[in-house]
Amino acid sequence: MDELPGLLLSHQPLKVRQGAVELILGYTSDASSLVLLTSNKELVHSVWDTLTDKDKELSVTSAQILVNITSHNAQYTAPEETVPQILQILHNSNSTHLHNSMAMILNNISRSRDQAEIFCKMITLADCQMFVKMVSCGQEQGYLAAVLGNIAVTEEGRDHLSHESVFPELISCLTMPGNIIVRRNTARLLRNLSFDTKTHTVLVGYLPQIVYPLVGGEEIDEEDMDKLPIDLQYLPEDKCREPDLQTRVLLSDTLFQMGGTHSVRERYRDNNYYELFKNYDQWEENDDAKERIQNVIYLIVQDDGEVDLRKEGEVPQGVEEEEEEVVHIKREEESTGETIEKQGELNGSKR
């Protein structure tokens, strides 16, 4: 393995370099070989250097190697060196063939709170705007949505994501058709934002959009209908609720955390959200999901006085932030293509 860095040098014939990266990619499919590979810092740096190679096949394979390396342990990626390079690639419209892999790498290196804190110090509001634009336009499979959910556990990340230049487009991803990864991670992001009461002022302004996935087409009395927000009135009878259970649970958790603020509870009451939550509770079949929305209903019907249940900026006790799952690319021996193997579920509701 010591001779591999030399085979990746730009003066080597293209076939030699392509053969070397294919060999290295093979090493990343085996845990013990991956440990050996990542212990060779010169080799890892050489792979990073080939990302911008003019040969797209070579650069794509190198990107897949780096996805697998960062899935093994993000410590093998020095953020101060790699994040600027990744951002440059994402900003480059001529590097779209690498965008999905770059999003996977960013997810892998921002999974824990500590990693997310480091990552947030290296990105700007403009970078977040770019991430959201790429997600909303479907320019990658949805892994950037997971990255946004990762950084939402940090104060700086929440400030970026709740900014007026970011949030309106971000909330539209909650109903993106055909992409459960994006919808679920957008809901996870909203849940993470809602832990911080300072974001409630922004979130409540988009309450109809947050509630919309939980609403069906049940018939509602005219008097009750008139109290609802205009965007939630007279929906078609065939209006379908969000089919993904985890997304529904995350949205109910978001509504519950928001309900800790008195002004939000008053909005629930004044705009008759009780009617919508009640219908959803009657429709929901999963016991855990039913309990989550029933917690929100309890906030509405209880006589709580005009008080906030949490102090501004206070994260609720008992909330344990777990690391987001890594993504790993696996080569199938009997196939010419690659499949993405998720250790656990990338778009799960763990955090």
PDB file of all heavy atoms in Angstrom, residues 296-321:
ATOM      1  N   VAL A 296     -49.370  17.320  21.893  1.00  0.00           N
ATOM      2  CA  VAL A 296     -49.622  18.661  21.359  1.00  0.00           C
ATOM      3  C   VAL A 296     -51.052  19.093  21.680  1.00  0.00           C
ATOM      4  O   VAL A 296     -51.296  20.239  22.092  1.00  0.00           O
ATOM      5  CB  VAL A 296     -49.387  18.696  19.831  1.00  0.00           C
ATOM      6  CG1 VAL A 296     -49.592  20.111  19.293  1.00  0.00           C
ATOM      7  CG2 VAL A 296     -47.986  18.208  19.487  1.00  0.00           C
ATOM      8  N   ILE A 297     -51.989  18.175  21.509  1.00  0.00           N
ATOM      9  CA  ILE A 297     -53.391  18.484  21.804  1.00  0.00           C
ATOM     10  C   ILE A 297     -53.552  18.869  23.269  1.00  0.00           C
ATOM     11  O   ILE A 297     -54.292  19.809  23.609  1.00  0.00           O
ATOM     12  CB  ILE A 297     -54.282  17.277  21.450  1.00  0.00           C
ATOM     13  CG1 ILE A 297     -54.284  17.062  19.931  1.00  0.00           C
ATOM     14  CG2 ILE A 297     -55.701  17.468  21.976  1.00  0.00           C
ATOM     15  CD1 ILE A 297     -54.988  15.799  19.488  1.00  0.00           C
ATOM     16  N   TYR A 298     -52.838  18.170  24.154  1.00  0.00           N
ATOM     17  CA  TYR A 298     -52.915  18.480  25.582  1.00  0.00           C
ATOM     18  C   TYR A 298     -52.455  19.906  25.856  1.00  0.00           C
ATOM     19  O   TYR A 298     -53.042  20.610  26.691  1.00  0.00           O
ATOM     20  CB  TYR A 298     -52.078  17.492  26.383  1.00  0.00           C
ATOM     21  CG  TYR A 298     -52.041  17.807  27.866  1.00  0.00           C
ATOM     22  CD1 TYR A 298     -53.147  17.565  28.679  1.00  0.00           C
ATOM     23  CD2 TYR A 298     -50.902  18.367  28.436  1.00  0.00           C
ATOM     24  CE1 TYR A 298     -53.123  17.875  30.028  1.00  0.00           C
ATOM     25  CE2 TYR A 298     -50.858  18.677  29.794  1.00  0.00           C
ATOM     26  CZ  TYR A 298     -51.978  18.433  30.582  1.00  0.00           C
ATOM     27  OH  TYR A 298     -51.947  18.746  31.911  1.00  0.00           O
ATOM     28  N   LEU A 299     -51.423  20.353  25.151  1.00  0.00           N
ATOM     29  CA  LEU A 299     -50.955  21.732  25.329  1.00  0.00           C
ATOM     30  C   LEU A 299     -52.052  22.739  24.986  1.00  0.00           C
ATOM     31  O   LEU A 299     -52.143  23.814  25.588  1.00  0.00           O
ATOM     32  CB  LEU A 299     -49.737  22.000  24.438  1.00  0.00           C
ATOM     33  CG  LEU A 299     -48.411  21.364  24.838  1.00  0.00           C
ATOM     34  CD1 LEU A 299     -47.353  21.677  23.782  1.00  0.00           C
ATOM     35  CD2 LEU A 299     -47.952  21.868  26.202  1.00  0.00           C
ATOM     36  N   ILE A 300     -52.877  22.393  24.010  1.00  0.00           N
ATOM     37  CA  ILE A 300     -53.926  23.309  23.562  1.00  0.00           C
ATOM     38  C   ILE A 300     -55.082  23.369  24.554  1.00  0.00           C
ATOM     39  O   ILE A 300     -55.595  24.450  24.877  1.00  0.00           O
ATOM     40  CB  ILE A 300     -54.454  22.885  22.170  1.00  0.00           C
ATOM     41  CG1 ILE A 300     -53.320  22.957  21.133  1.00  0.00           C
ATOM     42  CG2 ILE A 300     -55.629  23.750  21.738  1.00  0.00           C
ATOM     43  CD1 ILE A 300     -53.693  22.433  19.769  1.00  0.00           C
ATOM     44  N   VAL A 301     -55.480  22.215  25.064  1.00  0.00           N
ATOM     45  CA  VAL A 301     -56.700  22.161  25.878  1.00  0.00           C
ATOM     46  C   VAL A 301     -56.462  22.445  27.352  1.00  0.00           C
ATOM     47  O   VAL A 301     -57.409  22.760  28.093  1.00  0.00           O
ATOM     48  CB  VAL A 301     -57.395  20.793  25.724  1.00  0.00           C
ATOM     49  CG1 VAL A 301     -57.757  20.539  24.265  1.00  0.00           C
ATOM     50  CG2 VAL A 301     -56.509  19.664  26.254  1.00  0.00           C
ATOM     51  N   GLN A 302     -55.204  22.359  27.796  1.00  0.00           N
ATOM     52  CA  GLN A 302     -54.950  22.569  29.219  1.00  0.00           C
ATOM     53  C   GLN A 302     -55.077  24.046  29.579  1.00  0.00           C
ATOM     54  O   GLN A 302     -54.855  24.933  28.753  1.00  0.00           O
ATOM     55  CB  GLN A 302     -53.558  22.057  29.591  1.00  0.00           C
ATOM     56  CG  GLN A 302     -52.415  22.899  29.040  1.00  0.00           C
ATOM     57  CD  GLN A 302     -51.066  22.480  29.575  1.00  0.00           C
ATOM     58  OE1 GLN A 302     -50.967  21.986  30.680  1.00  0.00           O
ATOM     59  NE2 GLN A 302     -50.025  22.686  28.791  1.00  0.00           N
ATOM     60  N   ASP A 303     -55.419  24.312  30.829  1.00  0.00           N
ATOM     61  CA  ASP A 303     -55.472  25.675  31.353  1.00  0.00           C
ATOM     62  C   ASP A 303     -54.108  25.976  31.957  1.00  0.00           C
ATOM     63  O   ASP A 303     -53.836  25.655  33.107  1.00  0.00           O
ATOM     64  CB  ASP A 303     -56.578  25.786  32.413  1.00  0.00           C
ATOM     65  CG  ASP A 303     -56.737  27.203  32.932  1.00  0.00           C
ATOM     66  OD1 ASP A 303     -56.138  28.121  32.326  1.00  0.00           O
ATOM     67  OD2 ASP A 303     -57.441  27.391  33.946  1.00  0.00           O
ATOM     68  N   ASP A 304     -53.224  26.613  31.158  1.00  0.00           N
ATOM     69  CA  ASP A 304     -51.836  26.725  31.560  1.00  0.00           C
ATOM     70  C   ASP A 304     -51.424  28.111  32.023  1.00  0.00           C
ATOM     71  O   ASP A 304     -50.307  28.321  32.479  1.00  0.00           O
ATOM     72  CB  ASP A 304     -50.914  26.305  30.407  1.00  0.00           C
ATOM     73  CG  ASP A 304     -51.267  27.022  29.109  1.00  0.00           C
ATOM     74  OD1 ASP A 304     -51.795  28.147  29.173  1.00  0.00           O
ATOM     75  OD2 ASP A 304     -51.013  26.458  28.039  1.00  0.00           O
ATOM     76  N   GLY A 305     -52.298  29.093  31.863  1.00  0.00           N
ATOM     77  CA  GLY A 305     -51.889  30.452  32.210  1.00  0.00           C
ATOM     78  C   GLY A 305     -51.009  31.033  31.113  1.00  0.00           C
ATOM     79  O   GLY A 305     -50.541  30.335  30.217  1.00  0.00           O
ATOM     80  N   GLU A 306     -50.763  32.307  31.176  1.00  0.00           N
ATOM     81  CA  GLU A 306     -49.988  32.980  30.137  1.00  0.00           C
ATOM     82  C   GLU A 306     -48.499  32.923  30.450  1.00  0.00           C
ATOM     83  O   GLU A 306     -47.852  33.930  30.736  1.00  0.00           O
ATOM     84  CB  GLU A 306     -50.460  34.432  29.992  1.00  0.00           C
ATOM     85  CG  GLU A 306     -51.921  34.543  29.565  1.00  0.00           C
ATOM     86  CD  GLU A 306     -52.354  35.986  29.390  1.00  0.00           C
ATOM     87  OE1 GLU A 306     -51.489  36.884  29.494  1.00  0.00           O
ATOM     88  OE2 GLU A 306     -53.545  36.210  29.140  1.00  0.00           O
ATOM     89  N   VAL A 307     -47.950  31.718  30.378  1.00  0.00           N
ATOM     90  CA  VAL A 307     -46.534  31.537  30.705  1.00  0.00           C
ATOM     91  C   VAL A 307     -45.873  30.684  29.625  1.00  0.00           C
ATOM     92  O   VAL A 307     -46.513  29.874  28.957  1.00  0.00           O
ATOM     93  CB  VAL A 307     -46.347  30.843  32.077  1.00  0.00           C
ATOM     94  CG1 VAL A 307     -46.880  31.726  33.190  1.00  0.00           C
ATOM     95  CG2 VAL A 307     -47.033  29.481  32.105  1.00  0.00           C
ATOM     96  N   ASP A 308     -44.574  30.903  29.452  1.00  0.00           N
ATOM     97  CA  ASP A 308     -43.774  30.037  28.604  1.00  0.00           C
ATOM     98  C   ASP A 308     -43.289  28.867  29.446  1.00  0.00           C
ATOM     99  O   ASP A 308     -42.921  29.039  30.611  1.00  0.00           O
ATOM    100  CB  ASP A 308     -42.569  30.789  28.036  1.00  0.00           C
ATOM    101  CG  ASP A 308     -42.987  31.871  27.039  1.00  0.00           C
ATOM    102  OD1 ASP A 308     -44.061  31.708  26.430  1.00  0.00           O
ATOM    103  OD2 ASP A 308     -42.234  32.855  26.894  1.00  0.00           O
ATOM    104  N   LEU A 309     -43.315  27.689  28.890  1.00  0.00           N
ATOM    105  CA  LEU A 309     -42.924  26.493  29.630  1.00  0.00           C
ATOM    106  C   LEU A 309     -41.422  26.293  29.672  1.00  0.00           C
ATOM    107  O   LEU A 309     -40.929  25.500  30.455  1.00  0.00           O
ATOM    108  CB  LEU A 309     -43.599  25.259  28.999  1.00  0.00           C
ATOM    109  CG  LEU A 309     -45.131  25.343  28.889  1.00  0.00           C
ATOM    110  CD1 LEU A 309     -45.690  24.044  28.324  1.00  0.00           C
ATOM    111  CD2 LEU A 309     -45.756  25.652  30.242  1.00  0.00           C
ATOM    112  N   ARG A 310     -40.693  27.017  28.808  1.00  0.00           N
ATOM    113  CA  ARG A 310     -39.234  26.974  28.834  1.00  0.00           C
ATOM    114  C   ARG A 310     -38.687  28.377  28.669  1.00  0.00           C
ATOM    115  O   ARG A 310     -39.288  29.219  28.006  1.00  0.00           O
ATOM    116  CB  ARG A 310     -38.696  26.080  27.706  1.00  0.00           C
ATOM    117  CG  ARG A 310     -38.840  24.612  27.967  1.00  0.00           C
ATOM    118  CD  ARG A 310     -37.943  23.797  27.036  1.00  0.00           C
ATOM    119  NE  ARG A 310     -38.514  23.651  25.708  1.00  0.00           N
ATOM    120  CZ  ARG A 310     -37.950  24.083  24.602  1.00  0.00           C
ATOM    121  NH1 ARG A 310     -36.809  24.739  24.664  1.00  0.00           N
ATOM    122  NH2 ARG A 310     -38.503  23.906  23.436  1.00  0.00           N
ATOM    123  N   LYS A 311     -37.527  28.616  29.252  1.00  0.00           N
ATOM    124  CA  LYS A 311     -36.874  29.903  29.112  1.00  0.00           C
ATOM    125  C   LYS A 311     -36.304  30.035  27.701  1.00  0.00           C
ATOM    126  O   LYS A 311     -36.030  29.049  27.027  1.00  0.00           O
ATOM    127  CB  LYS A 311     -35.742  30.051  30.139  1.00  0.00           C
ATOM    128  CG  LYS A 311     -36.205  30.031  31.585  1.00  0.00           C
ATOM    129  CD  LYS A 311     -35.010  30.131  32.526  1.00  0.00           C
ATOM    130  CE  LYS A 311     -35.466  30.080  33.975  1.00  0.00           C
ATOM    131  NZ  LYS A 311     -34.310  30.138  34.920  1.00  0.00           N
ATOM    132  N   GLU A 312     -36.110  31.285  27.268  1.00  0.00           N
ATOM    133  CA  GLU A 312     -35.570  31.527  25.936  1.00  0.00           C
ATOM    134  C   GLU A 312     -34.206  30.868  25.776  1.00  0.00           C
ATOM    135  O   GLU A 312     -33.311  31.039  26.596  1.00  0.00           O
ATOM    136  CB  GLU A 312     -35.436  33.033  25.677  1.00  0.00           C
ATOM    137  CG  GLU A 312     -34.950  33.343  24.268  1.00  0.00           C
ATOM    138  CD  GLU A 312     -34.981  34.823  23.975  1.00  0.00           C
ATOM    139  OE1 GLU A 312     -35.780  35.534  24.604  1.00  0.00           O
ATOM    140  OE2 GLU A 312     -34.199  35.265  23.125  1.00  0.00           O
ATOM    141  N   GLY A 313     -34.077  30.087  24.692  1.00  0.00           N
ATOM    142  CA  GLY A 313     -32.804  29.431  24.411  1.00  0.00           C
ATOM    143  C   GLY A 313     -32.570  28.157  25.181  1.00  0.00           C
ATOM    144  O   GLY A 313     -31.563  27.479  24.988  1.00  0.00           O
ATOM    145  N   GLU A 314     -33.494  27.781  26.062  1.00  0.00           N
ATOM    146  CA  GLU A 314     -33.305  26.594  26.903  1.00  0.00           C
ATOM    147  C   GLU A 314     -33.631  25.327  26.119  1.00  0.00           C
ATOM    148  O   GLU A 314     -34.710  25.202  25.544  1.00  0.00           O
ATOM    149  CB  GLU A 314     -34.203  26.680  28.129  1.00  0.00           C
ATOM    150  CG  GLU A 314     -34.118  25.467  29.052  1.00  0.00           C
ATOM    151  CD  GLU A 314     -35.156  25.526  30.166  1.00  0.00           C
ATOM    152  OE1 GLU A 314     -35.903  26.506  30.219  1.00  0.00           O
ATOM    153  OE2 GLU A 314     -35.206  24.582  30.963  1.00  0.00           O
ATOM    154  N   VAL A 315     -32.701  24.391  26.097  1.00  0.00           N
ATOM    155  CA  VAL A 315     -32.944  23.090  25.471  1.00  0.00           C
ATOM    156  C   VAL A 315     -33.620  22.197  26.499  1.00  0.00           C
ATOM    157  O   VAL A 315     -33.182  22.116  27.646  1.00  0.00           O
ATOM    158  CB  VAL A 315     -31.631  22.447  24.993  1.00  0.00           C
ATOM    159  CG1 VAL A 315     -31.880  21.046  24.452  1.00  0.00           C
ATOM    160  CG2 VAL A 315     -30.979  23.324  23.924  1.00  0.00           C
ATOM    161  N   PRO A 316     -34.717  21.544  26.135  1.00  0.00           N
ATOM    162  CA  PRO A 316     -35.464  20.743  27.105  1.00  0.00           C
ATOM    163  C   PRO A 316     -34.625  19.623  27.707  1.00  0.00           C
ATOM    164  O   PRO A 316     -33.812  19.008  27.024  1.00  0.00           O
ATOM    165  CB  PRO A 316     -36.628  20.177  26.284  1.00  0.00           C
ATOM    166  CG  PRO A 316     -36.163  20.236  24.869  1.00  0.00           C
ATOM    167  CD  PRO A 316     -35.291  21.450  24.790  1.00  0.00           C
ATOM    168  N   GLN A 317     -34.831  19.355  28.973  1.00  0.00           N
ATOM    169  CA  GLN A 317     -34.108  18.284  29.643  1.00  0.00           C
ATOM    170  C   GLN A 317     -34.532  16.930  29.078  1.00  0.00           C
ATOM    171  O   GLN A 317     -35.677  16.731  28.699  1.00  0.00           O
ATOM    172  CB  GLN A 317     -34.376  18.314  31.146  1.00  0.00           C
ATOM    173  CG  GLN A 317     -33.802  19.540  31.845  1.00  0.00           C
ATOM    174  CD  GLN A 317     -34.032  19.488  33.334  1.00  0.00           C
ATOM    175  OE1 GLN A 317     -34.717  18.598  33.832  1.00  0.00           O
ATOM    176  NE2 GLN A 317     -33.449  20.444  34.046  1.00  0.00           N
ATOM    177  N   GLY A 318     -33.577  16.004  29.077  1.00  0.00           N
ATOM    178  CA  GLY A 318     -33.890  14.663  28.602  1.00  0.00           C
ATOM    179  C   GLY A 318     -33.689  14.479  27.116  1.00  0.00           C
ATOM    180  O   GLY A 318     -33.862  13.389  26.584  1.00  0.00           O
ATOM    181  N   VAL A 319     -33.366  15.577  26.408  1.00  0.00           N
ATOM    182  CA  VAL A 319     -33.127  15.461  24.979  1.00  0.00           C
ATOM    183  C   VAL A 319     -31.694  15.028  24.753  1.00  0.00           C
ATOM    184  O   VAL A 319     -30.762  15.742  25.080  1.00  0.00           O
ATOM    185  CB  VAL A 319     -33.383  16.805  24.257  1.00  0.00           C
ATOM    186  CG1 VAL A 319     -32.976  16.691  22.797  1.00  0.00           C
ATOM    187  CG2 VAL A 319     -34.836  17.204  24.373  1.00  0.00           C
ATOM    188  N   GLU A 320     -31.509  13.844  24.236  1.00  0.00           N
ATOM    189  CA  GLU A 320     -30.171  13.312  23.972  1.00  0.00           C
ATOM    190  C   GLU A 320     -29.919  13.351  22.479  1.00  0.00           C
ATOM    191  O   GLU A 320     -30.638  12.734  21.700  1.00  0.00           O
ATOM    192  CB  GLU A 320     -30.056  11.865  24.496  1.00  0.00           C
ATOM    193  CG  GLU A 320     -30.227  11.746  25.996  1.00  0.00           C
ATOM    194  CD  GLU A 320     -29.116  12.444  26.775  1.00  0.00           C
ATOM    195  OE1 GLU A 320     -28.008  12.581  26.216  1.00  0.00           O
ATOM    196  OE2 GLU A 320     -29.353  12.854  27.919  1.00  0.00           O
ATOM    197  N   GLU A 321     -28.910  14.098  22.088  1.00  0.00           N
ATOM    198  CA  GLU A 321     -28.562  14.187  20.673  1.00  0.00           C
ATOM    199  C   GLU A 321     -27.646  13.025  20.303  1.00  0.00           C
ATOM    200  O   GLU A 321     -26.574  12.877  20.859  1.00  0.00           O
ATOM    201  CB  GLU A 321     -27.857  15.516  20.385  1.00  0.00           C
ATOM    202  CG  GLU A 321     -28.727  16.734  20.641  1.00  0.00           C
ATOM    203  CD  GLU A 321     -29.930  16.803  19.715  1.00  0.00           C
ATOM    204  OE1 GLU A 321     -29.960  16.036  18.732  1.00  0.00           O
ATOM    205  OE2 GLU A 321     -30.828  17.595  19.988  1.00  0.00           O
TER     206      GLU A 321
END
